[in-house]
């Protein structure tokens, strides 16, 4: 992996018509060494920092991450010989922390939220590390344009090539790197495609009030600097209980994905239920797979303790369009 990298763009799509009752296809981004879409952003940011002379032999990377970017940077840092400090919080899955630590990452877990939530507390910790160590460098996925540029170069054109008749693209809003890269590409090359952002209830990205969020990956308590609302045509807000229910619904069809996927699919279904009077071809993205969430999203006790008994009740309309 040493040196500039070209990653093969994942082209696996799952047809979700039997689950949501609409022509919705799910682009699966979890089939790479890092297990998530974040490998693209991580590689793009590291390579740009190397070209600019900001990092080199002996450098320490320090980054705030809810999990997936931390794993991607752990792989790259281990391969290139960088020290890596990942600052996460108590919502990060234990399996994700163990995976990062297995590759030599120094994982720091923030256990108390600050005035700007856990993300604000994580970012404050990163600033303290940078002030104490002159060799440390923060790539800062929340403000680094190389994050969204990775998806402008790869993810968006791959979707457009696979679906030349695409009508609607649904993208989850987390750090907004994937969202902004795709939205910017389609605005420039396929402005006829309707871009719908999907955010978690409790996230502040679109001006909504901050609230409790237990599922890592989507939503934020601090608006990312790279986010630009002008590229988004519409937004859907999803309750975490609905995201969990959708994860289990998809799993019963044989596909195990993370909470971000449950969120975007739930949001896409809600939007299509309201707006798909005619035939619409739509695509969304599954940022990762579900194995790291077996102790949370897919453990009955965790779901019942946090969201109640009704979340795991099967919907009455399970026999949707085949």
């Amino acid at each position: 992996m040493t040196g500039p990298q070209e990653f093969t763009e994942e082209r696996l799509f799952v047809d979700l018509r039997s689950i949501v009752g609409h022509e919705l296809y799910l682009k699966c981004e979890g089939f790479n060494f890092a297990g998530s879409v974040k490998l693209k952003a991580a590689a793009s940011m590291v390579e740009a920092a190397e070209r600019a002379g900001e990092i080199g032999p002996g450098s320490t990377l320090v980054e705030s991450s809810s999990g997936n970017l931390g794993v991607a940077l752990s792989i790259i840092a281990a391969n290139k010989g960088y020290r890596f400090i990942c600052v996460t919080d108590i919502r990060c899955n234990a399996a994700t922390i163990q995976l990062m630590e297995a590759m030599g990452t120094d994982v720091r877990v923030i256990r108390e939220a600050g005035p700007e939530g856990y993300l604000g507390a994580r970012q404050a910790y990163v600033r303290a590390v940078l002030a104490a160590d002159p060799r440390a460098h923060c790539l800062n996925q929340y403000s680094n344009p190389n994050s969204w540029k990775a998806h402008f170069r790869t993810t968006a054109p791959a979707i457009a090539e696979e679906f030349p008749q695409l009508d609607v693209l649904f993208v989850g809003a987390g750090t907004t790197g994937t969202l902004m890269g795709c939205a910017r590409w389609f605005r420039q090359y396929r402005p006829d495609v309707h871009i719908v952002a999907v955010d978690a209830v409790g996230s502040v990205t679109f001006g909504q009030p901050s609230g409790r969020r237990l599922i890592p990956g989507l939503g934020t308590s601090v608006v990312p600097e790279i986010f630009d609302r002008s590229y988004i045509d519409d937004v859907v807000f999803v309750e975490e209980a609905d995201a969990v229910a959708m994860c289990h619904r998809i799993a019963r069809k044989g596909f195990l994905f993370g909470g971000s996927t449950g969120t975007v699919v739930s949001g896409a279904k809600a939007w299509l239920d309201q707006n798909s009077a005619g035939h619409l071809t739509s695509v969304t993205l599954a940022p990762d797979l579900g194995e790291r969430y077996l102790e949370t999203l897919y453990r009955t006790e965790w779901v019942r303790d946090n969201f109640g008994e009704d979340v795991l009740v099967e919907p009455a309309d399970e026999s949707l369009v085949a």
Side-chain angles (χ1 to χ4, degrees):
M1 189 180 292
T2 303
Q5 301 303 308
E6 290 294 334
F7 294 99
T8 301
E9 176 62 34
E10 183 55 60
R11 298 295 182 97
L12 175 61
F13 292 82
V14 174
D15 186 339
L16 296 181
R17 283 178 291 182
S18 66
I19 298 174
V20 302
H22 301 282
E23 189 177 354
L24 177 65
Y25 301 93
L26 184 65
K27 188 175 190 297
C28 301
E29 295 281 352
F31 296 99
N32 59 50
F33 284 113
S36 82
V37 69
K38 288 291 190 178
L39 184 60
K40 299 175 187 178
S44 177
M45 291 189 295
V46 167
E47 291 166 9
E50 290 174 333
R51 290 193 301 269
E54 296 169 344
I55 58 175
S59 291
T60 296
L61 300 179
V62 55
E63 188 73 20
S64 162
S65 171
S66 62
N68 282 335
L69 183 78
V71 172
L73 285 176
S74 293
I75 292 172
I76 294 172
N79 180 264
K80 291 176 173 287
Y82 298 134
R83 183 186 178 214
F84 176 39
I85 300 173
C86 180
V87 183
T88 188
D89 62 63
I90 57 173
R91 297 170 299 180
C92 186
N93 298 309
T96 299
I97 293 174
Q98 292 167 356
L99 183 57
M100 290 189 285
E101 290 179 335
M103 289 181 281
T105 295
D106 181 357
V107 181
R108 313 280 179 89
V109 181
I110 301 299
R111 302 194 176 278
E112 293 187 10
E116 294 182 306
Y118 282 109
L119 176 55
R122 285 176 5 215
Q123 290 177 324
Y125 192 98
V126 168
R127 290 192 293 269
V129 173
L130 294 174
D133 184 355
R135 298 171 302 173
H137 178 80
C138 180
L139 298 166
N140 197 350
Q141 61 173 327
Y142 313 101
S143 64
N144 194 326
N146 293 293
S147 173
W148 66 257
K149 287 178 180 179
H151 301 286
F152 188 94
R153 292 192 301 266
T154 62
T155 310
I159 293 171
E161 182 179 352
E162 191 75 19
F163 295 91
Q165 303 303 317
L166 181 65
D167 296 301
V168 189
L169 177 64
F170 298 92
V171 188
T175 60
T176 70
T178 307
L179 173 62
M180 295 314 304
C182 290
R184 285 173 177 270
W185 190 93
F186 278 97
R187 174 65 62 84
Q188 182 171 340
Y189 296 107
R190 289 282 306 280
D192 57 306
V193 174
H194 198 75
I195 304 298
V196 181
V198 182
D199 201 7
V201 170
S203 167
V204 306
T205 304
F206 289 87
Q208 299 297 301
S210 178
R212 184 190 81 153
R213 290 180 294 107
L214 300 177
I215 302 174
L218 289 190
T220 184
S221 56
V222 180
V223 180
E225 293 179 40
I226 60 172
F227 175 65
D228 186 338
R229 176 69 173 81
S230 68
Y231 287 92
I232 311 304
D233 297 308
D234 205 353
V235 59
V236 180
F237 300 100
V238 176
E239 296 279 358
E240 287 197 323
D242 294 331
V244 173
M246 183 59 75
C247 282
H248 284 260
R249 191 171 179 180
I250 296 171
R252 290 187 178 92
K253 292 292 186 178
F255 304 103
L256 200 68
F257 294 108
S260 296
T261 302
T263 305
V264 294
V265 173
S266 180
K269 182 182 186 307
W271 191 93
L272 290 167
D273 285 346
Q274 294 293 319
N275 296 279
S276 186
H279 175 80
L280 293 177
T281 299
S282 55
V283 169
T284 189
L285 293 91
D288 60 6
L289 302 178
E291 288 88 343
R292 297 175 196 166
Y293 304 87
L294 293 177
E295 291 300 311
T296 53
L297 294 177
Y298 294 103
R299 186 163 65 88
T300 301
E301 294 79 8
W302 185 89
V303 174
R304 288 175 176 168
D305 288 347
N306 288 290
F307 300 103
E309 297 280 345
D310 295 340
V311 173
L312 299 180
V313 174
E314 285 291 324
D317 59 343
E318 191 67 27
S319 56
L320 291 172
V321 179

